[in-house]
PDB file of all heavy atoms in Angstrom:
ATOM      1  N   MET T  46      24.195 105.955 -56.868  1.00  0.00           N
ATOM      2  CA  MET T  46      23.307 107.023 -57.322  1.00  0.00           C
ATOM      3  C   MET T  46      23.210 108.107 -56.270  1.00  0.00           C
ATOM      4  O   MET T  46      23.243 109.304 -56.590  1.00  0.00           O
ATOM      5  CB  MET T  46      21.909 106.474 -57.593  1.00  0.00           C
ATOM      6  CG  MET T  46      21.808 105.484 -58.732  1.00  0.00           C
ATOM      7  SD  MET T  46      22.726 105.882 -60.194  1.00  0.00           S
ATOM      8  CE  MET T  46      21.577 106.969 -61.023  1.00  0.00           C
ATOM      9  N   THR T  47      23.098 107.724 -55.020  1.00  0.00           N
ATOM     10  CA  THR T  47      23.023 108.700 -53.941  1.00  0.00           C
ATOM     11  C   THR T  47      24.235 109.617 -53.921  1.00  0.00           C
ATOM     12  O   THR T  47      24.114 110.821 -53.747  1.00  0.00           O
ATOM     13  CB  THR T  47      22.896 107.963 -52.599  1.00  0.00           C
ATOM     14  OG1 THR T  47      21.747 107.111 -52.637  1.00  0.00           O
ATOM     15  CG2 THR T  47      22.711 108.958 -51.446  1.00  0.00           C
ATOM     16  N   GLU T  48      25.397 109.017 -54.163  1.00  0.00           N
ATOM     17  CA  GLU T  48      26.616 109.852 -54.188  1.00  0.00           C
ATOM     18  C   GLU T  48      26.625 110.777 -55.393  1.00  0.00           C
ATOM     19  O   GLU T  48      27.062 111.930 -55.288  1.00  0.00           O
ATOM     20  CB  GLU T  48      27.861 108.956 -54.189  1.00  0.00           C
ATOM     21  CG  GLU T  48      27.965 108.105 -52.938  1.00  0.00           C
ATOM     22  CD  GLU T  48      29.297 107.384 -52.834  1.00  0.00           C
ATOM     23  OE1 GLU T  48      30.323 108.033 -52.633  1.00  0.00           O
ATOM     24  OE2 GLU T  48      29.292 106.121 -52.987  1.00  0.00           O
ATOM     25  N   LEU T  49      26.120 110.310 -56.511  1.00  0.00           N
ATOM     26  CA  LEU T  49      26.087 111.148 -57.706  1.00  0.00           C
ATOM     27  C   LEU T  49      25.072 112.307 -57.542  1.00  0.00           C
ATOM     28  O   LEU T  49      25.293 113.392 -58.070  1.00  0.00           O
ATOM     29  CB  LEU T  49      25.732 110.301 -58.936  1.00  0.00           C
ATOM     30  CG  LEU T  49      26.785 109.250 -59.331  1.00  0.00           C
ATOM     31  CD1 LEU T  49      26.293 108.402 -60.491  1.00  0.00           C
ATOM     32  CD2 LEU T  49      28.124 109.923 -59.681  1.00  0.00           C
ATOM     33  N   VAL T  50      23.999 112.013 -56.821  1.00  0.00           N
ATOM     34  CA  VAL T  50      23.038 113.078 -56.516  1.00  0.00           C
ATOM     35  C   VAL T  50      23.667 114.122 -55.607  1.00  0.00           C
ATOM     36  O   VAL T  50      23.593 115.325 -55.891  1.00  0.00           O
ATOM     37  CB  VAL T  50      21.759 112.488 -55.859  1.00  0.00           C
ATOM     38  CG1 VAL T  50      20.884 113.611 -55.313  1.00  0.00           C
ATOM     39  CG2 VAL T  50      20.979 111.649 -56.853  1.00  0.00           C
ATOM     40  N   LYS T  51      24.325 113.642 -54.558  1.00  0.00           N
ATOM     41  CA  LYS T  51      24.942 114.569 -53.614  1.00  0.00           C
ATOM     42  C   LYS T  51      26.006 115.418 -54.284  1.00  0.00           C
ATOM     43  O   LYS T  51      26.260 116.564 -53.900  1.00  0.00           O
ATOM     44  CB  LYS T  51      25.550 113.814 -52.444  1.00  0.00           C
ATOM     45  CG  LYS T  51      24.485 113.312 -51.465  1.00  0.00           C
ATOM     46  CD  LYS T  51      25.098 112.635 -50.251  1.00  0.00           C
ATOM     47  CE  LYS T  51      23.986 112.199 -49.308  1.00  0.00           C
ATOM     48  NZ  LYS T  51      24.380 111.023 -48.491  1.00  0.00           N
ATOM     49  N   ALA T  52      26.668 114.849 -55.295  1.00  0.00           N
ATOM     50  CA  ALA T  52      27.715 115.571 -56.008  1.00  0.00           C
ATOM     51  C   ALA T  52      27.129 116.484 -57.077  1.00  0.00           C
ATOM     52  O   ALA T  52      27.859 117.089 -57.861  1.00  0.00           O
ATOM     53  CB  ALA T  52      28.690 114.592 -56.608  1.00  0.00           C
ATOM     54  N   ASP T  53      25.774 116.527 -57.150  1.00  0.00           N
ATOM     55  CA  ASP T  53      25.096 117.396 -58.102  1.00  0.00           C
ATOM     56  C   ASP T  53      25.301 117.067 -59.584  1.00  0.00           C
ATOM     57  O   ASP T  53      25.193 117.903 -60.444  1.00  0.00           O
ATOM     58  CB  ASP T  53      25.474 118.879 -57.895  1.00  0.00           C
ATOM     59  CG  ASP T  53      24.884 119.421 -56.615  1.00  0.00           C
ATOM     60  OD1 ASP T  53      23.804 118.949 -56.228  1.00  0.00           O
ATOM     61  OD2 ASP T  53      25.524 120.316 -56.008  1.00  0.00           O
ATOM     62  N   PHE T  54      25.626 115.803 -59.846  1.00  0.00           N
ATOM     63  CA  PHE T  54      25.728 115.403 -61.270  1.00  0.00           C
ATOM     64  C   PHE T  54      24.364 114.962 -61.786  1.00  0.00           C
ATOM     65  O   PHE T  54      24.066 115.180 -62.946  1.00  0.00           O
ATOM     66  CB  PHE T  54      26.730 114.261 -61.414  1.00  0.00           C
ATOM     67  CG  PHE T  54      28.155 114.726 -61.305  1.00  0.00           C
ATOM     68  CD1 PHE T  54      28.834 114.558 -60.121  1.00  0.00           C
ATOM     69  CD2 PHE T  54      28.756 115.373 -62.363  1.00  0.00           C
ATOM     70  CE1 PHE T  54      30.132 115.019 -59.994  1.00  0.00           C
ATOM     71  CE2 PHE T  54      30.044 115.833 -62.248  1.00  0.00           C
ATOM     72  CZ  PHE T  54      30.736 115.671 -61.054  1.00  0.00           C
ATOM     73  N   ILE T  55      23.588 114.311 -60.943  1.00  0.00           N
ATOM     74  CA  ILE T  55      22.270 113.933 -61.363  1.00  0.00           C
ATOM     75  C   ILE T  55      21.228 114.443 -60.370  1.00  0.00           C
ATOM     76  O   ILE T  55      21.549 114.758 -59.221  1.00  0.00           O
ATOM     77  CB  ILE T  55      22.123 112.402 -61.548  1.00  0.00           C
ATOM     78  CG1 ILE T  55      22.423 111.666 -60.238  1.00  0.00           C
ATOM     79  CG2 ILE T  55      22.999 111.907 -62.654  1.00  0.00           C
ATOM     80  CD1 ILE T  55      22.396 110.172 -60.426  1.00  0.00           C
ATOM     81  N   GLU T  56      20.007 114.487 -60.853  1.00  0.00           N
ATOM     82  CA  GLU T  56      18.894 114.933 -60.039  1.00  0.00           C
ATOM     83  C   GLU T  56      18.020 113.732 -59.837  1.00  0.00           C
ATOM     84  O   GLU T  56      17.865 112.914 -60.754  1.00  0.00           O
ATOM     85  CB  GLU T  56      18.146 116.035 -60.790  1.00  0.00           C
ATOM     86  CG  GLU T  56      17.022 116.681 -60.023  1.00  0.00           C
ATOM     87  CD  GLU T  56      16.324 117.755 -60.863  1.00  0.00           C
ATOM     88  OE1 GLU T  56      16.896 118.173 -61.881  1.00  0.00           O
ATOM     89  OE2 GLU T  56      15.204 118.121 -60.492  1.00  0.00           O
ATOM     90  N   SER T  57      17.484 113.594 -58.663  1.00  0.00           N
ATOM     91  CA  SER T  57      16.580 112.446 -58.417  1.00  0.00           C
ATOM     92  C   SER T  57      15.167 112.964 -58.176  1.00  0.00           C
ATOM     93  O   SER T  57      14.967 114.003 -57.532  1.00  0.00           O
ATOM     94  CB  SER T  57      17.042 111.640 -57.210  1.00  0.00           C
ATOM     95  OG  SER T  57      16.906 112.408 -56.051  1.00  0.00           O
ATOM     96  N   ILE T  58      14.219 112.250 -58.739  1.00  0.00           N
ATOM     97  CA  ILE T  58      12.805 112.554 -58.500  1.00  0.00           C
ATOM     98  C   ILE T  58      12.244 111.387 -57.704  1.00  0.00           C
ATOM     99  O   ILE T  58      12.302 110.247 -58.172  1.00  0.00           O
ATOM    100  CB  ILE T  58      12.028 112.661 -59.848  1.00  0.00           C
ATOM    101  CG1 ILE T  58      12.768 113.566 -60.812  1.00  0.00           C
ATOM    102  CG2 ILE T  58      10.612 113.139 -59.570  1.00  0.00           C
ATOM    103  CD1 ILE T  58      12.875 115.000 -60.421  1.00  0.00           C
ATOM    104  N   ARG T  59      11.811 111.665 -56.508  1.00  0.00           N
ATOM    105  CA  ARG T  59      11.342 110.584 -55.633  1.00  0.00           C
ATOM    106  C   ARG T  59       9.877 110.251 -55.899  1.00  0.00           C
ATOM    107  O   ARG T  59       9.172 110.935 -56.602  1.00  0.00           O
ATOM    108  CB  ARG T  59      11.521 111.001 -54.172  1.00  0.00           C
ATOM    109  CG  ARG T  59      12.974 111.162 -53.811  1.00  0.00           C
ATOM    110  CD  ARG T  59      13.151 111.651 -52.400  1.00  0.00           C
ATOM    111  NE  ARG T  59      12.666 110.688 -51.453  1.00  0.00           N
ATOM    112  CZ  ARG T  59      13.026 110.637 -50.169  1.00  0.00           C
ATOM    113  NH1 ARG T  59      13.883 111.522 -49.720  1.00  0.00           N
ATOM    114  NH2 ARG T  59      12.571 109.714 -49.364  1.00  0.00           N
ATOM    115  N   GLY T  60       9.475 109.136 -55.283  1.00  0.00           N
ATOM    116  CA  GLY T  60       8.092 108.710 -55.396  1.00  0.00           C
ATOM    117  C   GLY T  60       7.801 107.936 -56.691  1.00  0.00           C
ATOM    118  O   GLY T  60       8.666 107.815 -57.578  1.00  0.00           O
ATOM    119  N   ARG T  61       6.644 107.411 -56.762  1.00  0.00           N
ATOM    120  CA  ARG T  61       6.207 106.632 -57.926  1.00  0.00           C
ATOM    121  C   ARG T  61       6.391 107.468 -59.202  1.00  0.00           C
ATOM    122  O   ARG T  61       6.171 108.666 -59.195  1.00  0.00           O
ATOM    123  CB  ARG T  61       4.737 106.293 -57.762  1.00  0.00           C
ATOM    124  CG  ARG T  61       4.240 105.362 -58.820  1.00  0.00           C
ATOM    125  CD  ARG T  61       2.894 104.810 -58.442  1.00  0.00           C
ATOM    126  NE  ARG T  61       2.366 104.021 -59.537  1.00  0.00           N
ATOM    127  CZ  ARG T  61       1.328 103.224 -59.433  1.00  0.00           C
ATOM    128  NH1 ARG T  61       0.691 103.092 -58.293  1.00  0.00           N
ATOM    129  NH2 ARG T  61       0.896 102.530 -60.473  1.00  0.00           N
ATOM    130  N   GLU T  62       6.843 106.787 -60.247  1.00  0.00           N
ATOM    131  CA  GLU T  62       7.174 107.459 -61.521  1.00  0.00           C
ATOM    132  C   GLU T  62       8.451 108.292 -61.423  1.00  0.00           C
ATOM    133  O   GLU T  62       8.727 109.075 -62.303  1.00  0.00           O
ATOM    134  CB  GLU T  62       6.023 108.350 -62.033  1.00  0.00           C
ATOM    135  CG  GLU T  62       4.681 107.641 -62.106  1.00  0.00           C
ATOM    136  CD  GLU T  62       4.625 106.649 -63.239  1.00  0.00           C
ATOM    137  OE1 GLU T  62       4.603 107.084 -64.413  1.00  0.00           O
ATOM    138  OE2 GLU T  62       4.614 105.430 -62.948  1.00  0.00           O
ATOM    139  N   GLY T  63       9.146 108.142 -60.309  1.00  0.00           N
ATOM    140  CA  GLY T  63      10.378 108.890 -60.143  1.00  0.00           C
ATOM    141  C   GLY T  63      11.526 108.284 -60.902  1.00  0.00           C
ATOM    142  O   GLY T  63      11.346 107.361 -61.712  1.00  0.00           O
ATOM    143  N   GLY T  64      12.702 108.786 -60.649  1.00  0.00           N
ATOM    144  CA  GLY T  64      13.901 108.279 -61.328  1.00  0.00           C
ATOM    145  C   GLY T  64      15.027 109.304 -61.286  1.00  0.00           C
ATOM    146  O   GLY T  64      15.025 110.193 -60.460  1.00  0.00           O
ATOM    147  N   PHE T  65      15.952 109.119 -62.216  1.00  0.00           N
ATOM    148  CA  PHE T  65      17.129 109.997 -62.239  1.00  0.00           C
ATOM    149  C   PHE T  65      17.310 110.631 -63.606  1.00  0.00           C
ATOM    150  O   PHE T  65      16.959 110.025 -64.622  1.00  0.00           O
ATOM    151  CB  PHE T  65      18.376 109.178 -61.908  1.00  0.00           C
ATOM    152  CG  PHE T  65      18.336 108.500 -60.571  1.00  0.00           C
ATOM    153  CD1 PHE T  65      17.926 107.189 -60.451  1.00  0.00           C
ATOM    154  CD2 PHE T  65      18.727 109.192 -59.434  1.00  0.00           C
ATOM    155  CE1 PHE T  65      17.903 106.553 -59.218  1.00  0.00           C
ATOM    156  CE2 PHE T  65      18.712 108.560 -58.190  1.00  0.00           C
ATOM    157  CZ  PHE T  65      18.293 107.224 -58.081  1.00  0.00           C
ATOM    158  N   LYS T  66      17.899 111.832 -63.609  1.00  0.00           N
ATOM    159  CA  LYS T  66      18.315 112.447 -64.857  1.00  0.00           C
ATOM    160  C   LYS T  66      19.523 113.321 -64.603  1.00  0.00           C
ATOM    161  O   LYS T  66      19.836 113.647 -63.432  1.00  0.00           O
ATOM    162  CB  LYS T  66      17.167 113.291 -65.434  1.00  0.00           C
ATOM    163  CG  LYS T  66      16.808 114.511 -64.590  1.00  0.00           C
ATOM    164  CD  LYS T  66      15.681 115.299 -65.251  1.00  0.00           C
ATOM    165  CE  LYS T  66      15.209 116.443 -64.350  1.00  0.00           C
ATOM    166  NZ  LYS T  66      14.039 117.122 -64.902  1.00  0.00           N
ATOM    167  N   LEU T  67      20.236 113.687 -65.657  1.00  0.00           N
ATOM    168  CA  LEU T  67      21.411 114.551 -65.500  1.00  0.00           C
ATOM    169  C   LEU T  67      20.994 115.917 -64.985  1.00  0.00           C
ATOM    170  O   LEU T  67      19.931 116.417 -65.361  1.00  0.00           O
ATOM    171  CB  LEU T  67      22.143 114.729 -66.821  1.00  0.00           C
ATOM    172  CG  LEU T  67      22.839 113.488 -67.394  1.00  0.00           C
ATOM    173  CD1 LEU T  67      23.668 113.905 -68.621  1.00  0.00           C
ATOM    174  CD2 LEU T  67      23.756 112.822 -66.376  1.00  0.00           C
ATOM    175  N   GLN T  68      21.857 116.489 -64.167  1.00  0.00           N
ATOM    176  CA  GLN T  68      21.510 117.824 -63.638  1.00  0.00           C
ATOM    177  C   GLN T  68      22.293 118.907 -64.405  1.00  0.00           C
ATOM    178  O   GLN T  68      22.011 120.085 -64.240  1.00  0.00           O
ATOM    179  CB  GLN T  68      21.882 117.872 -62.148  1.00  0.00           C
ATOM    180  CG  GLN T  68      21.219 118.992 -61.400  1.00  0.00           C
ATOM    181  CD  GLN T  68      21.301 118.831 -59.917  1.00  0.00           C
ATOM    182  OE1 GLN T  68      22.248 118.216 -59.416  1.00  0.00           O
ATOM    183  NE2 GLN T  68      20.325 119.348 -59.208  1.00  0.00           N
ATOM    184  N   LYS T  69      23.262 118.448 -65.208  1.00  0.00           N
ATOM    185  CA  LYS T  69      24.021 119.397 -66.008  1.00  0.00           C
ATOM    186  C   LYS T  69      23.979 118.923 -67.455  1.00  0.00           C
ATOM    187  O   LYS T  69      23.566 117.794 -67.745  1.00  0.00           O
ATOM    188  CB  LYS T  69      25.477 119.457 -65.520  1.00  0.00           C
ATOM    189  CG  LYS T  69      25.640 119.768 -64.090  1.00  0.00           C
ATOM    190  CD  LYS T  69      27.105 119.706 -63.684  1.00  0.00           C
ATOM    191  CE  LYS T  69      27.261 120.082 -62.213  1.00  0.00           C
ATOM    192  NZ  LYS T  69      28.646 120.039 -61.774  1.00  0.00           N
ATOM    193  N   LYS T  70      24.470 119.743 -68.343  1.00  0.00           N
ATOM    194  CA  LYS T  70      24.578 119.294 -69.734  1.00  0.00           C
ATOM    195  C   LYS T  70      25.681 118.229 -69.817  1.00  0.00           C
ATOM    196  O   LYS T  70      26.693 118.337 -69.124  1.00  0.00           O
ATOM    197  CB  LYS T  70      24.911 120.476 -70.642  1.00  0.00           C
ATOM    198  CG  LYS T  70      23.689 121.313 -70.976  1.00  0.00           C
ATOM    199  CD  LYS T  70      23.938 122.242 -72.157  1.00  0.00           C
ATOM    200  CE  LYS T  70      24.873 123.382 -71.737  1.00  0.00           C
ATOM    201  NZ  LYS T  70      24.997 124.411 -72.800  1.00  0.00           N
ATOM    202  N   ALA T  71      25.485 117.268 -70.686  1.00  0.00           N
ATOM    203  CA  ALA T  71      26.437 116.179 -70.817  1.00  0.00           C
ATOM    204  C   ALA T  71      27.828 116.715 -71.178  1.00  0.00           C
ATOM    205  O   ALA T  71      28.849 116.159 -70.770  1.00  0.00           O
ATOM    206  CB  ALA T  71      25.992 115.179 -71.872  1.00  0.00           C
ATOM    207  N   SER T  72      27.843 117.794 -71.875  1.00  0.00           N
ATOM    208  CA  SER T  72      29.127 118.387 -72.267  1.00  0.00           C
ATOM    209  C   SER T  72      29.846 119.025 -71.101  1.00  0.00           C
ATOM    210  O   SER T  72      31.030 119.314 -71.163  1.00  0.00           O
ATOM    211  CB  SER T  72      28.917 119.417 -73.377  1.00  0.00           C
ATOM    212  OG  SER T  72      28.088 120.450 -72.879  1.00  0.00           O
ATOM    213  N   GLU T  73      29.132 119.220 -70.008  1.00  0.00           N
ATOM    214  CA  GLU T  73      29.734 119.908 -68.837  1.00  0.00           C
ATOM    215  C   GLU T  73      30.204 118.949 -67.758  1.00  0.00           C
ATOM    216  O   GLU T  73      30.739 119.360 -66.741  1.00  0.00           O
ATOM    217  CB  GLU T  73      28.712 120.872 -68.240  1.00  0.00           C
ATOM    218  CG  GLU T  73      28.553 122.139 -69.094  1.00  0.00           C
ATOM    219  CD  GLU T  73      27.348 122.971 -68.632  1.00  0.00           C
ATOM    220  OE1 GLU T  73      26.644 122.544 -67.727  1.00  0.00           O
ATOM    221  OE2 GLU T  73      27.147 124.017 -69.258  1.00  0.00           O
ATOM    222  N   ILE T  74      29.968 117.626 -67.958  1.00  0.00           N
ATOM    223  CA  ILE T  74      30.457 116.645 -66.993  1.00  0.00           C
ATOM    224  C   ILE T  74      31.634 115.908 -67.603  1.00  0.00           C
ATOM    225  O   ILE T  74      31.481 115.205 -68.600  1.00  0.00           O
ATOM    226  CB  ILE T  74      29.344 115.659 -66.611  1.00  0.00           C
ATOM    227  CG1 ILE T  74      28.162 116.425 -65.961  1.00  0.00           C
ATOM    228  CG2 ILE T  74      29.877 114.597 -65.627  1.00  0.00           C
ATOM    229  CD1 ILE T  74      27.001 115.544 -65.594  1.00  0.00           C
ATOM    230  N   LYS T  75      32.807 116.098 -67.040  1.00  0.00           N
ATOM    231  CA  LYS T  75      34.004 115.437 -67.550  1.00  0.00           C
ATOM    232  C   LYS T  75      34.239 114.150 -66.770  1.00  0.00           C
ATOM    233  O   LYS T  75      33.908 114.070 -65.584  1.00  0.00           O
ATOM    234  CB  LYS T  75      35.232 116.351 -67.351  1.00  0.00           C
ATOM    235  CG  LYS T  75      35.029 117.757 -67.877  1.00  0.00           C
ATOM    236  CD  LYS T  75      34.874 117.828 -69.366  1.00  0.00           C
ATOM    237  CE  LYS T  75      34.836 119.269 -69.850  1.00  0.00           C
ATOM    238  NZ  LYS T  75      34.534 119.364 -71.294  1.00  0.00           N
ATOM    239  N   VAL T  76      34.865 113.216 -67.417  1.00  0.00           N
ATOM    240  CA  VAL T  76      35.211 111.954 -66.754  1.00  0.00           C
ATOM    241  C   VAL T  76      36.014 112.221 -65.473  1.00  0.00           C
ATOM    242  O   VAL T  76      35.764 111.625 -64.436  1.00  0.00           O
ATOM    243  CB  VAL T  76      36.001 111.025 -67.696  1.00  0.00           C
ATOM    244  CG1 VAL T  76      36.519 109.807 -66.951  1.00  0.00           C
ATOM    245  CG2 VAL T  76      35.130 110.583 -68.863  1.00  0.00           C
TER     246      VAL T  76
END
Side-chain angles (χ1 to χ4, degrees):
Chain T
M46 296 316 276
T47 303
E48 298 189 69
L49 295 176
V50 168
K51 284 184 179 153
D53 289 330
F54 286 100
I55 60 184
E56 185 180 344
S57 66
I58 311 296
R59 296 176 65 159
R61 186 167 174 167
E62 307 289 289
F65 301 95
K66 66 179 174 187
L67 291 188
Q68 199 165 29
K69 304 177 178 180
K70 280 195 287 187
S72 61
E73 285 168 358
I74 299 177
K75 310 294 186 186
V76 171

